[in-house]
Structures are given as C-alpha cells and as structure tokens.
Amino acid sequence: MNEKVNHNTEYWQELDRRHHLHPFVDTAELNLEGAKIINKASGVYVWDTDGQKFLDGMAGLWCVNMGYSQPSLIAAATEQMTNLPYYNTFFKTATTPQAELAAKIAEVAPEGLEHTFFSSSGSEANDTVVRLVRHFWQVQGYDNKTIIVSRENAYHGSTIAGLSLGGMATMHGQGGDILPDIVHIPQPYWYGEGGDLSPEEFGLARAQELEKTILEHGADRIAAFIGEPIQGAGGVIVPPASYWPEIQRICRKYDILLVADEVICGFGRTGAWFGSDAFNIQPDLMTIAKGLSSGYMPISGVIVGTRVVDVMTHQFGKFFHGYTYSGHPVAAAVALANIELMQQTNIIETLQEDTVPYFQAMVQRIGKHSTVAAAEGLGMLAGFALVEDRAEECREYCLEEGLIMRAVGSLRLVLSPPLVISRAEIDELEEKVMKALDRLASE
Ligand code: PXG
C-alpha cells in the first residue's frame, strides 16, 4: 500500500491509459492528456496525486451529500463487513441492515411510499421502473398500456432502459435503437426555450405537452410519465412552479403512473428530503441512488407507492426481477448510517434556514457577472448559462483555481456541492468561480 502511494502521477496515468476504459470520454483525447488521479478527500475537498487541493463543487458526481470521510459511515461499513459482508435477498431471504434501511426510507419518504426495491445504480433502478410499471398494467389486463413518456434532455442512466428513458440525442445515436414505446416530450427549460411566454405560462404549456401526447396515443396506451424534479445532467433545469402540479393533474386525470427520478434530487439536494416534497407532488414511484449513501457505497432503489405494492402483492405472482446486489448488506448499512446522520445533524433544517439561502444568494451574484446570461437554482443546485459557448474553457479555469465545477454542453455550468458545505467554504467557492469568470472575460 505505502509503496503504491509513492508512485508519481505519470505512473498512475500510464497504468490507467493502458488498462482502463473511462465512462463518457473521448479515449484518444484522454490518452493525450492523461487522467487526473484523485487519491484523497476530506470534508468538501479532494486532492490529486500531485497534491493539488480542489473544492468539490459537484459532490463527486452529485452524490457525496454529507461530505467525505464521515466516521459513522466508515464505522457502519467496517462493522457490517465484519458481521456479514454479503448475503442476497432472493428466494425469500432478507438481511437486517436492508430491512432497517427500507423502514428508514419509508420514514423520510413522502406519505404513501413505504416499500423499496433495491439495486446498485440509478440506471438499474430505472430498469426496474420500466419492468414494474409495464407489468403493473399488464397483470390488470391493460396489455397495451406500455408507453412511458419522458422528456427531451432528461437523464435517467446509461443502460439500455436508462438511456432510452433519457432524452439525450447524443446517447440515442450510439449503439443502436432505443427501447420501443418510450416517447419524449419537450423539456420545461424556460430560459432556453420559453420564447415570449412568462415562466408560469411556459410551465403550463410544457406540462400540457403531456396531455397532447396522451390524447394522440390514447390514454389506454400510456403506462407512466417519468421526470427528474429538476433535470441535473441536462444542466440544472429548474421548471417553473406551474409545471409539476399540472403534470400531476394530467397523470391523475388519465390514470397514468407518475414516476419521480430522485437520483439527484433526493436526500436533501433540493433543501427538502426529496424533490417531490420541494414541488409538492405525490409520485407513485421514486427512483433513488447517489445521496442515499452519500456515494460511499453503490446503492439505489425504487420506492414504490401503496397502489402499485397492492397490485404486486395480490396480482403479480412471482416477479422475475432482481439483481445479485439488491439490498447488499454493506451498502444498506452505510445508507442507513447516512440517513441517520442526516437526521441527527438536522441537515434539512440547517439547509432551509441557513445554507440554501446563503448559497442561492451567491448564485444570484454570480449571475450578475458579465460572462453569465442567466443563473438559476434551487436548494443546493445551481445552473448558469454563459453568454458565449465557452463552458468547457471556464471549467478548466475553475480547475486551475482549485474548484471542480461541471460543464454541460458548451453553454451551461452547474454546481452541486456537498450539503454540509460551510458559509466560509461557499465564500471560497464564490471567489474561485469569480476569478475563473474574470479570466474568461479577459481572454
Ligand atoms: N437518474 C438520474 C436523474 C441521474 O442523474 C441516473 C439516473 C443514473 O444513475 P447511475 O447510478 O446509473 O449513474 C443519474 C445519474 C453528469 C452525470 O455528468 C450524471 C449522472 C451520472 C453520471 C454523470 O452529470 N447521473
């Protein structure tokens, strides 16, 4: 172990170049540059093998909500590894951490969502959603109720089902056809697509695209609508306040299941326990991952509402679906410790009373910079549209300042820092962003 620590960055980059294939990257470009090798973290900071320190403005990949190196999460993993590192939940078995975690999730989830089906990633959980909602209608005799409506520029994962649900044209173009019976409607992106409409009018208009689609295909064809309460990977698109209530109204009117993909929005990211709480909607199913364990272990799930659970219980018979690591005991123990830590530290109250207003005031100040055309945010999420198509360049300047920010396309920059970030650290984040933007303005 110590021997490895002494290797230099070039050594690790070469090893990586020779044997590792990266997600979402141009391999030729990466091979020229070499990967940034991260090998240490604490609080809201990470370090690379050159010893450079970065404020992690993305909480890893929108997931390290409680920050790095939390002792209670580490202890939970160690203890569970010692007692029972693995057992499955197939064939009528269960484990104690998985049982406790499911109960804990029911405690913090919106009313009527009391059961969780576990998996290891957001993509897998959305695969579960596709099979679950289609089978839900099928067993009740609605064989044609198979279409799932999603949105353009949505992100729901990278498996076949995940990318098919997602509305990323670049992804649909690679690897062949997407799943049948998935339909995409336009997104509620007011700044980019609102035209002359007010945000309220635009939110309603975009929600009514769902009704149009339902009428076009017939309600007897539509199984579910899926959406991220706030689109994350799409660039932190905060929908107008009129959007979600109208979506819910339409789903109820035509008896269509409402699925909230809470993979990013869940577990405090929006300043509430779930994005659905922030927008006051009651989905039938919720996809969770990322912040569930603060990213410490890969664990995800679908929280299933009472209506669907009743049909599963009485009409499904055996549901032929599950993963080896569904409810993995170590991942479950860590997720449980994570939610307990959130409760013990009253993180939601702290966010609402202090961190979120302080962070969003910063977002508004950044929005006034000459290089920024628009700033939007909710909770601990922020998205900035730049005046010019130079987001990638700006991201590089941020890195040089010691800040990790994410560019979405060439026009948008996003922030999603750990929820435990302090006021002083938010000040530091602002200073670094402003320096990067000043540099963008001057070059
Ligand atoms: N749903 C949503 C809303 C997500 O944001 C997934 C599903 C898929 O989760 P897994 O665990 O299968 O990755 C996600 C993941 C980015 C980025 O660059 C975003 C995600 C993943 C990787 C990169 O913004 N979101």
Side-chain angles (χ1 to χ4, degrees), residues 275-384:
S276 296
D277 297 320
F279 290 106
N280 196 23
I281 53 166
Q282 289 81 42
D284 296 291
L285 302 108
M286 299 200 320
T287 313
I288 53 171
K290 295 192 189 272
L292 168 59
S293 69
S294 282
Y296 280 48
M297 290 294 284
I299 182 165
S300 67
V302 182
I303 316 182
V304 184
T306 315
R307 178 181 177 189
V308 177
V309 170
D310 283 347
V311 173
M312 287 180 84
T313 308
H314 301 293
Q315 287 173 267
F316 267 37
K318 187 189 264 190
F319 186 35
F320 297 97
H321 177 69
Y323 310 101
T324 301
Y325 301 127
S326 285
H328 190 287
V330 180
V334 171
L336 178 65
N338 180 60
I339 301 176
E340 283 171 351
L341 181 67
M342 290 181 73
Q343 290 178 319
Q344 285 153 12
T345 56
N346 291 317
I347 185 82
I348 302 295
E349 284 81 349
T350 306
L351 285 168
Q352 283 172 1
E353 284 161 21
D354 191 63
T355 322
V356 167
Y358 199 77
F359 178 74
Q360 291 298 336
M362 177 206 75
V363 171
Q364 290 310 310
R365 284 192 297 276
I366 294 174
K368 296 204 174 78
H369 196 276
S370 65
T371 57
V372 179
E376 57 184 312
L378 195 107
M380 297 303 284
L381 285 167
F384 306 97

Side-chain angles (χ1 to χ4, degrees), residues 24 126 148-174 178-179 182-188 193 226-228 231-235 237 261 408:
F24 281 81
N126 280 330
I148 301 176
V149 182
S150 179
R151 286 99 52 88
E152 291 163 4
N153 197 34
Y155 191 80
H156 296 295
S158 191
T159 55
I160 296 284
L163 86 88
S164 302
L165 290 173
M168 302 284 177
T170 45
M171 291 177 76
H172 290 174
Q174 295 179 333
I178 64 168
L179 281 183
I182 291 174
V183 171
H184 297 87
I185 60 175
Q187 59 177 331
E193 303 173 9
I226 185 166
E228 304 151 80
Q231 289 153 262
I237 312 295
D261 184 335
V408 174

Side-chain angles (χ1 to χ4, degrees), residues 19-240:
H19 302 292
H20 176 217
L21 296 167
H22 287 241
F24 281 81
V25 85
D26 177 333
T27 303
E29 197 180 293
L30 175 69
N31 284 349
L32 281 179
E33 289 172 25
K36 182 179 295 301
I37 315 286
I38 302 293
N39 73 341
K40 194 177 116 177
S42 175
V44 300
Y45 297 96
V46 297
W47 283 260
D48 70 10
T49 41
D50 291 332
Q52 201 189 341
K53 180 182 179 184
F54 300 93
L55 204 177
D56 186 2
M58 286 307 297
L61 214 44
W62 322 77
C63 54
V64 187
N65 287 3
M66 295 304 282
Y68 296 93
S69 49
Q70 286 287 0
S72 68
L73 274 64
I74 298 162
T78 309
E79 195 185 326
Q80 189 57 44
M81 280 269 183
T82 312
N83 292 340
L84 181 73
Y86 177 77
Y87 203 74
N88 67 71
T89 54
F90 279 51
F91 317 127
K92 302 179 186 168
T93 56
T95 67
T96 55
Q98 154 264 302
E100 269 186 281
L101 175 62
K104 182 57 83 180
I105 292 170
E107 188 185 316
V108 298
E111 223 182 287
L113 290 154
E114 295 181 357
H115 295 74
T116 301
F117 186 99
F118 289 110
S119 44
S120 308
S121 69
S123 300
E124 284 172 296
N126 280 330
D127 274 56
T128 299
V129 165
V130 171
R131 295 200 58 203
L132 198 52
V133 302
R134 286 180 174 165
H135 197 53
F136 169 83
W137 291 115
Q138 207 175 21
V139 294
Q140 296 177 92
Y142 301 98
D143 284 330
N144 294 323
K145 224 165 149 64
T146 51
I147 295 177
I148 301 176
V149 182
S150 179
R151 286 99 52 88
E152 291 163 4
N153 197 34
Y155 191 80
H156 296 295
S158 191
T159 55
I160 296 284
L163 86 88
S164 302
L165 290 173
M168 302 284 177
T170 45
M171 291 177 76
H172 290 174
Q174 295 179 333
D177 291 344
I178 64 168
L179 281 183
D181 285 354
I182 291 174
V183 171
H184 297 87
I185 60 175
Q187 59 177 331
Y189 180 24
W190 179 75
Y191 171 75
E193 303 173 9
D196 295 334
L197 298 181
S198 70
E200 292 307 290
E201 291 166 341
F202 179 71
L204 281 181
R206 282 291 152 101
Q208 284 156 6
E209 291 284 339
L210 173 60
E211 190 156 26
K212 258 199 241 164
T213 299
I214 294 168
L215 295 174
E216 195 180 305
H217 295 270
D220 59 335
R221 290 282 285 118
I222 317 283
F225 172 83
I226 185 166
E228 304 151 80
I230 294 171
Q231 289 153 262
V236 181
I237 312 295
V238 183

